[in-house]
Amino acid sequence: MADTAHAAPDGAPRRDFLKLVTGAFAAVGVGAIAWPFIASLQPAKDTLALASTDVDLAPITEGQAITVMWRGKPVFVRNRTAKEIEEARAVPVNSMPDPATDQSRVQKDEWLVLIGICTHLGCVPTGQKPTDTRGDYGGWFCPCHGSHYDSAGRIRKGPAPRNLDVPQYAFTSDTKIRIG
Amino acid sequence: MSIGLHKSEFSNPLVRWIDQRLPVFTMMQKEYGTFPTPRNFNYFWNFGALAMVTLMIMIATGIFLSMHYVANTNLAFDSVERIMRDVNSGWLIRYVHMNGASMFFIVVYIHIFRGMYYGSYKAPRELLWMLGVTIFLLMMATAFMGYVLPWGQMSFWGATVITNLFSAFPVVGNFIVELLWGGFSVDNATLNRFFSLHYLLPFVILGVVFLHVAALHITGSNNPLGIEPKGAQDTLPFHPYYTAKDSVGLVVYFIVFAGLVFFAPNYLGHADNYIPANPLVTPPHIVPEWYFLPYYAILRAVPDKLGGVLLMFGSILIWFVLPWLDRSPVRSMRFRPLARPFFLLWAVNFLVLLWVGAKPAEGTYVLIAQISTAYYFAYFLVVLPLLAKFERPLPLPESISRPVLGGGPLSMGAAAKPMEKA
Ligand code: HEM
Ligand code: FES
């Protein structure tokens, strides 16, 4: 404290300012270094490249369903019967946990395409095979914690918060779709 | 004695030469030799040492497993089967590692129970306690990721359900889940990063254990009476008294451990994990390993996704603030006539959660889980804070040595005088 006399009266604020600048600089530096590490944990380019899958619908007869893999996830493709479509359209939408009309979930009435992952905690619901239990609403049933989905893949009962997701897909011809 | 050298009391010239330059021998002698330890420990005080031994066993067996294990979704399951069938003693190393995880949780649960019953979390040991809770969280993460490695059905679906828990958080949820997965589902990228972290975390645990013990050696150990030692007559040197007592416990521990490994190696596991992972088929009944069941029960007791996840994480995080929820100055439940039954009920309730967590989430099981969850939290948030105000504790003994060494009840004045007898 020998040089007190030389210290400007604003010495302390200046010191504070220098500390702040240094601290801010260090924080930005740490962030810049952390960035590539966090980015490395995100899906890699080859994972993203596997982003589309073609499905031939011709062999799927009415009432049948198949499961294909897309991005490591099961995708349900179901050729719905007229009765299933009618059931899905008859119910009032407002009474559902995640209201959505059946029309908003399909591109062609009979073809329902869904990501086969329960929106609760990610199990694969049963209901694809004719022998599977389909739950109380004739669609799918998730055995993990008991979520019931209807024939439009909408959540009707159980802990799942959302309807089964509809992936991006397009009809590439009358009997072919490309998912992704 | 030259300047700059540590004053060493060891006579062996080599030991002395090292000790003068790096006083590790002096430190060991001080912390584990002469370290003054309350003389009235019961066998509950064995479990810290047992946990340390288990950690060493896990690291040793884990390093050898890693020499044969392959972290790739196409090879992982087969590489574990190869360890079981073809690698010399591979079955033994794997069964020790597998059951070692269960032993670790048994030991640590008893260790935590001990801390709660005897009030070891109270001042001045709050930080020591919080470091312990941190170790427990790291253990859970480590064991969870280890269970994913053999890439069986339970590995895969356990990993799917647990990582999906994070998707419950608003806004950041999906981002976190994709970071955990490194893709759009539990897959090869996930397996690789889990193996990396499974190898890393036990060494992080080792570091936190070091801090845990360092903090312990500042405050000293608590004891079954929950009162501080008042002088030399209340303590014993750690060696040979407690090294001997710990060894007795260690033998019993090894008997139980060996019983599991040699006679019931898969008793605590789940048969479905011997089926290779299949991302298209969920097993009809998913259960986590037994040591996670209480939290799984809490998760399922709540009908709301986010609510369940929050309560589940909260059920352990609440341990961090236990020292501030329980403001009663009396540590040991022996002297708390009301807190004692409430706490023992809490412990039984914990076992009920463990049991109900393995049952399907339907009918009465859900109700039982909900009642148990309510009591789990009520004990911390209602019972303890109220008891700290209204409970009348029993009179505390004058000192640790008094009931042991005899002599009638002390007058208030005499108690304050330090006793010279040791
Ligand atoms: C805190 C200590 C540890 C715990 C609680 C733990 C837990 C586990 C568990 C529960 C498994 C699954 C066993 C099975 O069902 O097959 C496992 C597997 C494995 N662990 Fe650990 N572990 C620990 C430390 C380590 C360390 C330090 C390493 C490596 C240096 C390691 C390497 C492995 C390997 C390679 C496997 C796969 C082989 C197998 O599944 O048996 N572990 N661990
Ligand atoms: S994951 Fe489907 S109900 Fe929980």
Side-chain angles (χ1 to χ4, degrees):
Chain A
M1 279 295 141
D3 55 359
T4 322
H6 302 291
D10 62 348
R14 187 188 311 179
R15 175 65 49 89
D16 286 349
F17 176 74
L18 287 174
K19 276 187 190 158
L20 263 174
V21 169
T22 315
F25 197 75
V28 170
V30 168
I33 294 167
W35 180 257
F37 286 93
I38 294 173
S40 80
L41 291 178
Q42 288 174 315
K45 291 198 187 69
D46 62 335
T47 313
L48 293 170
L50 296 175
S52 68
T53 302
D54 290 299
V55 187
D56 183 7
L57 304 178
I60 311 170
T61 56
E62 186 175 313
Q64 227 189 8
I66 63 158
T67 307
V68 295
M69 282 295 256
W70 174 65
R71 287 182 160 184
K73 298 178 186 196
V75 171
F76 295 163
V77 183
R78 190 186 275 194
N79 186 348
R80 299 189 295 176
T81 60
K83 181 169 160 278
E84 283 169 340
I85 299 170
E86 198 186 309
E87 270 172 13
R89 299 197 168 172
V91 277
V93 165
N94 297 332
S95 62
M96 299 176 187
D98 182 8
T101 61
D102 182 63
Q103 285 85 343
S104 71
R105 298 179 52 78
V106 290
Q107 295 182 13
K108 291 191 181 173
D109 289 353
E110 65 273 33
W111 293 107
L112 181 62
V113 182
L114 299 170
I115 295 181
I117 302 257
C118 179
T119 58
H120 181 229
L121 295 175
C123 294
V124 178
T126 63
Q128 286 293 90
K129 291 195 212 105
T131 48
D132 283 352
T133 98
R134 291 184 168 191
D136 296 353
Y137 298 89
W140 288 267
F141 172 68
C142 181
C144 287
H145 316 93
S147 289
H148 299 256
Y149 296 93
D150 67 12
S151 56
R154 292 171 297 199
I155 178 68
R156 299 293 288 277
K157 197 169 105 185
R162 280 180 295 115
N163 301 334
L164 291 178
D165 291 321
V166 178
Q168 267 200 4
Y169 69 95
F171 278 85
T172 48
S173 77
D174 266 358
T175 58
K176 281 203 173 68
I177 55 168
R178 170 168 295 163
I179 305 169
Chain B
M1 166 88 32
S2 28
I3 302 230
L5 285 183
H6 175 74
K7 247 204 223 107
S8 179
E9 264 136 44
F10 289 88
S11 49
N12 177 307
L14 179 60
V15 170
R16 189 184 174 81
W17 187 87
I18 296 173
D19 200 47
Q20 285 172 329
R21 285 154 183 83
L22 182 70
V24 282
F25 292 97
T26 300
M27 190 197 94
M28 284 305 285
Q29 177 68 18
K30 177 162 166 276
E31 304 298 343
Y32 287 101
T34 53
F35 190 67
T37 314
R39 65 190 306 151
N40 59 334
F41 277 2
N42 57 26
Y43 276 103
F44 275 118
W45 265 261
N46 277 11
F47 286 86
L50 294 181
M52 190 67 214
V53 169
T54 318
L55 180 59
M56 293 297 131
I57 293 175
M58 294 311 284
I59 290 180
T61 50
I63 288 174
F64 281 85
L65 284 174
S66 305
M67 296 179 190
H68 303 282
Y69 173 77
V70 187
N72 178 294
T73 48
N74 293 319
L75 305 170
F77 187 87
D78 291 344
S79 77
V80 173
E81 283 311 303
R82 185 176 160 269
I83 291 172
M84 294 301 291
R85 295 157 200 242
D86 297 339
V87 174
N88 298 323
S89 311
W91 62 274
L92 179 63
I93 297 173
R94 173 161 181 256
Y95 276 161
V96 169
H97 196 77
M98 226 169 97
N99 288 284
S102 285
M103 289 301 287
F104 209 175
F105 278 90
I106 295 174
V107 163
V108 167
Y109 275 137
I110 298 174
H111 190 66
I112 295 172
F113 172 85
R114 187 280 315 262
M116 289 185 175
Y117 187 84
Y118 295 108
S120 304
Y121 49 83
K122 293 188 185 182
R125 298 186 184 82
E126 306 96 319
L127 191 58
L128 172 58
W129 168 260
M130 293 163 84
L131 286 167
V133 179
T134 308
I135 294 171
F136 183 69
L137 289 173
L138 288 168
M139 266 176 71
M140 292 180 59
T142 308
F144 160 64
M145 292 195 247
Y147 194 66
V148 177
L149 302 185
W151 209 243
Q153 271 291 65
M154 281 296 162
S155 299
F156 183 89
W157 291 103
T160 298
V161 168
I162 302 293
T163 49
N164 263 306
L165 291 179
F166 292 92
S167 72
F169 295 115
V171 190
V172 289
N174 282 326
F175 176 73
I176 296 177
V177 174
E178 272 191 13
L179 277 196
L180 289 170
W181 287 346
F184 305 104
S185 59
V186 173
D187 209 334
N188 199 46
T190 325
L191 180 62
N192 273 293
R193 64 192 56 187
F194 279 15
F195 182 47
S196 171
L197 293 173
H198 185 69
Y199 208 131
L200 169 70
L201 285 189
F203 295 92
V204 177
I205 293 178
L206 198 62
V208 184
V209 167
F210 179 82
L211 298 178
H212 188 71
V213 173
L216 172 70
H217 283 215
I218 297 296
T219 61
S221 300
N222 186 26
N223 63 78
L225 292 175
I227 57 178
E228 294 295 330
K230 295 209 168 70
Q233 75 286 353
D234 286 349
T235 64
L236 293 170
F238 190 81
H239 181 73
Y241 291 95
Y242 285 116
T243 43
K245 189 162 182 147
D246 279 347
S247 305
V248 177
L250 197 60
V251 170
V252 177
Y253 161 89
F254 277 127
I255 292 173
V256 176
F257 198 161
L260 272 178
V261 168
F262 294 109
F263 295 99
N266 291 305
Y267 175 69
L268 293 169
H270 198 294
D272 277 18
N273 222 28
Y274 285 99
I275 303 170
N278 179 355
L280 292 181
V281 179
T282 307
H285 189 44
I286 299 193
V287 276
E289 301 94 290
W290 69 266
Y291 36 81
F292 293 143
L293 289 173
Y295 320 106
Y296 196 57
I298 291 175
L299 169 77
R300 296 191 308 178
V302 188
D304 177 69
K305 180 170 167 182
L306 180 60
V309 171
L310 289 179
L311 275 203
M312 189 188 77
F313 286 118
S315 66
I316 295 171
L317 294 181
I318 200 168
W319 296 357
F320 274 114
V321 290
L322 178 54
W324 295 276
L325 293 171
D326 178 7
R327 306 301 292 259
S328 166
V330 177
R331 291 199 192 106
S332 175
M333 291 284 178
R334 283 195 190 171
F335 305 105
R336 302 190 59 189
L338 291 177
R340 188 166 180 270
F342 276 113
F343 172 67
L344 292 177
L345 180 64
W346 181 86
V348 172
N349 183 65
F350 188 80
L351 296 178
V352 170
L353 284 171
L354 201 158
W355 163 78
V356 82
K359 300 286 170 199
E362 37 186 62
T364 28
Y365 293 128
V366 177
L367 187 68
I368 295 174
Q370 286 170 342
I371 295 171
S372 288
T373 301
Y375 183 69
Y376 183 100
F377 285 99
Y379 172 75
F380 290 120
L381 296 174
V382 181
V383 175
L384 282 179
L386 285 183
L387 285 187
K389 282 213 173 87
F390 299 112
E391 183 185 43
R392 242 181 157 236
L394 304 176
L396 295 176
E398 310 273 7
S399 76
I400 292 173
S401 57
R402 193 121 200 106
V404 184
L405 299 179
L410 281 180
S411 70
M412 287 308 274
K417 265 192 226 143
M419 293 164 71
E420 292 306 338
K421 194 169 114 195

